[in-house]
Amino acid sequence: MALRSQPRPTGWPLPVATYMTGVVFVGLGAVMILLGVLDAVYRENATGFLVGGLLGIALGLALRRLGNPHAEPRRAEALFTVALLWILVPALGAIPFWISGNLAPLDALFESVSGFTTTGASVLADFSTWGYGLFLWRSLIQWFGGIGILLIFIVVLPQLAVAGRQLFFAEVTGVQKEKITPKLRQTAAMILRIYVVLTLVCFSVYMATGQPFFEAICNALSTVPAGGLSPSAESFAAYSPVSQWSGTLFMFLAGIGFLLQYRLFFGREVYTLLRDAEFRAYVAIIGVSGVALAGYFLFSGTYGLEPALRHAFFQVTSIVTTTGFASTDFGQWALPAQMLLIILMFIGGTSGSAAGGIKVIRWLIAWALVKRELQRSLHPQAVLPLRVGNKVVSEDALRSVAAFITLYILLFAVGMGVIGITENNFFYGFTASAAFIGNTGPAYGEFGPFGHYGSLHPASKVVAIIQMWAGRIELIPLMILLFPEFWRRLRS
């Protein structure tokens, strides 16, 4: 006689959030167990991975049992699920850094949040103290975070037919949340396909340009998600010029939305890409900034022609896409060059991409609004639809952009104040806050591309963690947690 499964508890609050947290914990726990075995084979300290893996699987199985994947989450629960996962998952992922990496608990959480949010900021001062397992784990969590923690599980769990739709649109970045196909799982699967293929190609190119095998793996896993944490203490300055040019190309691709990448590489829709207003602006920003910076280097005698072009386009692309790799110590550049990079920290990649930041489309909408208001001052009675390219922007999208930019600047200012005061340095506070909330990574001074954030005051690290978390989930899921009405809706 077959054993009957026990009925799932009824009335359990937040069934989808509970179930998804459990599923993700089981998945990450399994990955940590595998890395623990790898560490044991190489006779490295596998304790952190084994403890984290067993804890993740145990908690995950319990949470899965309590949750329900077939429930239909309301908008409030979907946003709560995204906000919850993007802090609980890094907390689990911090265990190997804490136990095996010998980091303090707060530093381990900082490193883990930085990895999952693809920020690329690190507290690690001595790279020689870590083995293969920890560097591979740090690169893997960037790869998981770049595509989105939830998207992978939407592909592999057909039972999320209803809940997956709400979770997908709550996690995907940008203003216009589009699908490649009418079926959500097909859309998620195609995004994952692009991501995997681009990672494999990136790894192959890095190997061909002379990067060591292990570093090529880690750098590919960090480049495609626009992460920026390299196993080399000197980032891309440790590699050949051709590797740096290759890095520039793949960082550029990482800043393009997955929808456009799919249409380019699998649909061969080159014309669709070229007529997209956001893509054209993205190319123009990188192109103009790269040429201007290279020109400054040439006229100031900083570099010759090829190094000037290489370092200019590498750093411009790295900052715009919020990757954070470095081909040289740009903290040593003259003030005009540094100022350009600081401005670019507030741009970001295109919507729906792995890149962080405000995103190009939001700046285009903001500029279109400014132009419309100037035209309206001349023609008060005219009906002037807001357009970006050949698309009309809805008033809902306009309100969303205005709210996002306002919250972004507010959180940036708070972070700048706290970090500036605790570190007793306004410039550090300004650049570090911009790097954290934009998920860019390196800032300036001791927090530059070849430095680290280990010396930050604990209060600054807490603020940095909140900013990195908020920047990755695009602020709204975090900020609504402050509203009492949200909690009433969640309980109802």
Side-chain angles (χ1 to χ4, degrees):
M1 180 177 176
L3 294 175
R4 296 175 59 186
S5 60
Q6 296 180 355
R8 184 179 281 109
T10 58
W12 182 263
L14 306 176
V16 173
T18 304
Y19 181 84
M20 284 307 303
T21 303
V23 167
V24 175
F25 269 32
V26 170
L28 287 179
V31 174
M32 281 193 271
I33 292 291
L34 291 175
L35 287 177
V37 172
L38 177 66
D39 264 10
V41 169
Y42 281 92
R43 297 184 179 181
E44 296 176 355
N45 185 358
T47 307
F49 288 113
L50 297 178
V51 170
L54 292 173
L55 181 62
I57 291 173
L59 288 174
L61 291 175
L63 291 171
R64 276 188 61 188
R65 180 64 184 162
L66 290 172
N68 182 1
H70 302 289
E72 182 172 0
R74 292 159 296 174
R75 178 65 173 167
E77 185 180 354
L79 292 171
F80 180 75
T81 302
V82 170
L84 184 71
L85 273 173
W86 278 97
I87 195 61
L88 289 182
V89 168
L92 176 66
I95 293 176
F97 298 133
W98 171 39
I99 296 177
S100 296
N102 296 316
L103 294 181
L106 183 59
D107 285 350
L109 181 61
F110 181 104
E111 196 79 13
S112 184
V113 170
S114 176
F116 276 106
T117 60
T118 69
T119 301
S122 180
V123 295
L124 184 62
D126 185 359
F127 279 50
S128 66
T129 60
W130 280 13
Y132 290 114
L134 286 170
F135 281 118
L136 183 57
W137 175 240
R138 193 172 69 161
S139 296
L140 278 171
I141 64 177
Q142 291 175 91
W143 195 83
F144 294 145
I147 194 172
I149 296 170
L150 293 173
L151 185 139
I152 298 173
F153 293 96
I154 290 172
V155 174
V156 300
L157 297 174
Q159 61 265 43
L160 289 172
V162 178
R165 183 174 301 274
Q166 287 277 23
L167 298 174
F168 177 83
F169 288 116
E171 186 178 45
V172 171
T173 64
V175 179
Q176 305 290 343
K177 309 297 179 71
E178 300 179 72
K179 294 189 298 179
I180 300 171
T181 71
K183 294 184 178 180
L184 178 65
R185 286 191 68 225
Q186 286 185 350
T187 296
M190 289 176 178
I191 290 174
L192 184 58
R193 180 184 175 191
I194 297 164
Y195 201 64
V196 170
V197 169
L198 195 59
T199 304
L200 292 174
V201 173
C202 183
F203 161 69
S204 301
V205 171
Y206 284 167
M207 279 286 292
T209 58
Q211 292 189 21
F213 178 79
F214 180 76
E215 293 182 26
I217 291 176
C218 291
N219 284 326
L221 291 171
S222 302
T223 304
V224 175
L229 290 172
S230 173
S232 169
E234 296 180 340
S235 190
F236 266 64
Y239 307 121
S240 66
V242 69
S243 274
Q244 293 174 8
W245 280 116
S246 301
T248 303
L249 171 63
F250 285 104
M251 287 189 294
F252 174 82
L253 293 175
I256 302 174
F258 292 119
L259 174 63
L260 289 176
Q261 287 191 44
Y262 181 82
R263 288 176 171 170
L264 174 64
F265 295 120
F266 295 104
R268 308 292 176 86
E269 299 178 32
V270 178
Y271 181 69
T272 301
L273 184 71
L274 294 178
R275 70 180 183 181
D276 183 86
E278 185 181 21
F279 175 75
R280 293 201 306 269
Y282 171 70
V283 173
I285 290 167
I286 291 178
V288 171
S289 301
V291 169
L293 189 56
Y296 174 78
F297 289 151
L298 285 172
F299 285 111
S300 64
T302 307
Y303 301 112
L305 178 60
E306 190 277 332
L309 289 169
R310 172 162 43 88
H311 291 310
F313 277 96
F314 186 99
Q315 289 310 151
V316 163
T317 307
S318 178
I319 297 299
V320 169
T321 62
T322 71
T323 305
F325 280 138
S327 61
T328 186
D329 187 359
F330 55 78
Q332 302 301 316
W333 288 352
L335 185 60
Q338 292 188 19
M339 287 300 300
L340 176 61
L341 295 187
I342 291 173
I343 292 170
L344 294 177
M345 285 183 179
F346 292 90
I347 302 295
T350 67
S351 58
S353 69
I358 292 176
K359 300 290 192 302
V360 173
I361 188 62
R362 290 192 177 95
W363 287 118
L364 290 179
I365 292 174
W367 174 241
L369 175 62
V370 170
K371 288 197 300 182
R372 187 179 73 171
E373 294 308 308
L374 290 174
Q375 289 176 323
R376 183 165 286 168
S377 67
L378 298 174
H379 308 285
Q381 306 302 319
V383 177
L384 302 170
L386 194 70
R387 293 181 180 274
V388 173
N390 58 358
K391 294 181 180 179
V392 176
V393 179
S394 69
E395 292 300 318
D396 286 344
L398 178 58
R399 286 193 296 270
S400 172
V401 168
F404 180 90
I405 293 179
T406 301
L407 290 173
Y408 193 98
I409 293 173
L410 177 63
L411 191 54
F412 159 73
V414 171
M416 175 184 66
V418 173
I419 297 173
I421 291 171
T422 56
E423 305 306 319
N424 197 29
N425 190 310
F426 172 79
F427 184 64
Y428 283 2
F430 186 97
T431 58
S433 182
F436 290 138
I437 193 171
N439 301 130
T440 305
Y444 285 95
E446 62 183 284
F447 310 132
F450 299 158
H452 60 87
Y453 289 96
S455 62
L456 272 179
H457 188 278
S460 296
K461 289 177 182 175
V462 171
V463 169
I465 288 169
I466 294 172
Q467 286 188 303
M468 291 187 285
W469 174 33
R472 179 56 183 84
I473 61 178
E474 298 216 314
L475 281 74
I476 301 300
L478 171 61
M479 300 305 291
I480 62 171
L481 299 180
L482 304 177
F483 283 81
E485 182 185 351
F486 169 78
W487 296 102
R488 288 195 296 270
R489 285 179 174 271
L490 212 55
R491 290 194 299 266
S492 63

